[in-house]
Amino acid sequence: MDAPASVVWALVTDINLPARFSSEFLGAEWEDELGLRVDARFIGRSRHDALGSWETTCTVIELEPQRSFAYAVGDPRFPSAVWRYSLAPLSADKTRLTQSMQIGPGRSGLSLAIDGRPDKERRIVSRRLLEHQANMQRTCAGIAELAAGVARVAARPPDG
């Protein structure tokens, strides 16, 4: 991304920002007003045509400023998923951003879908991973565009 890690960090730690780009994630609200910290919890809202709407409690499990931000969905000791943003500063004004997710080890909507159609497990998992991949690509592209815009504005010389 054409932006410093500090700019990218501010965007990836905004728990509502992915809702601008994802076809599934609708937004989130912090459970308390103590701010971003390990063990902070938020309620995420999602919707999928085949699965309906749902809310999940998420817990911040990793927070290394300008390096990594991760949260567990559901029980942080046995999450249904873990979502992570990893930042790697490449120079003063370039950052590599990676968004990843791990399904499980806890049960999730994917588990329920497989329970209902165990003969279709491979197809169900493949389709779900492709949906996640598409949403992560859109989210990272959107963050890159926003970050580059913020960096351009910050780099402009003052009027005068």
Side-chain angles (χ1 to χ4, degrees):
M1 298 190 175
D2 293 327
S6 60
V7 170
V8 178
W9 178 253
L11 295 169
V12 300
T13 55
D14 176 348
I15 60 171
N16 278 297
L17 187 67
R20 293 176 63 176
F21 311 111
S22 173
S23 65
E24 186 171 315
F25 179 67
L26 302 175
E29 293 177 13
W30 290 105
E31 279 196 342
D32 60 42
E33 297 177 18
L34 297 176
L36 183 63
R37 70 193 189 297
V38 171
D39 292 329
R41 293 164 40 115
F42 62 90
I43 305 298
R45 296 177 317 282
S46 299
R47 180 166 184 0
H48 186 282
D49 288 342
L51 304 171
S53 298
W54 68 93
E55 291 187 349
T56 54
T57 300
C58 303
T59 304
V60 176
I61 58 170
E62 188 176 302
L63 189 66
E64 185 181 344
Q66 298 184 34
R67 294 289 180 173
S68 64
F69 170 54
Y71 57 90
V73 180
D75 182 346
R77 295 163 304 189
F78 200 66
S80 61
V82 172
W83 290 84
R84 176 174 279 105
Y85 291 98
S86 300
L87 287 72
L90 302 175
S91 67
D93 60 352
K94 292 203 181 289
T95 305
R96 178 183 305 121
L97 174 64
T98 305
Q99 183 184 18
S100 60
M101 68 89 61
Q102 170 189 315
I103 298 173
R107 291 182 56 77
S108 66
L110 183 61
S111 306
L112 298 174
I114 293 167
D115 289 349
R117 298 294 308 262
D119 57 314
K120 303 284 186 197
E121 179 176 5
R122 175 175 262 153
R123 182 173 170 208
I124 291 167
V125 171
S126 178
R127 180 173 290 162
R128 192 66 177 131
L129 291 175
L130 287 172
E131 290 171 342
H132 283 315
Q133 180 183 22
N135 278 317
M136 289 188 286
Q137 287 173 334
R138 281 192 298 272
T139 298
C140 286
I143 289 170
E145 185 176 331
L146 291 172
V150 170
R152 279 192 302 274
V153 169
R156 284 189 198 146
D159 291 340

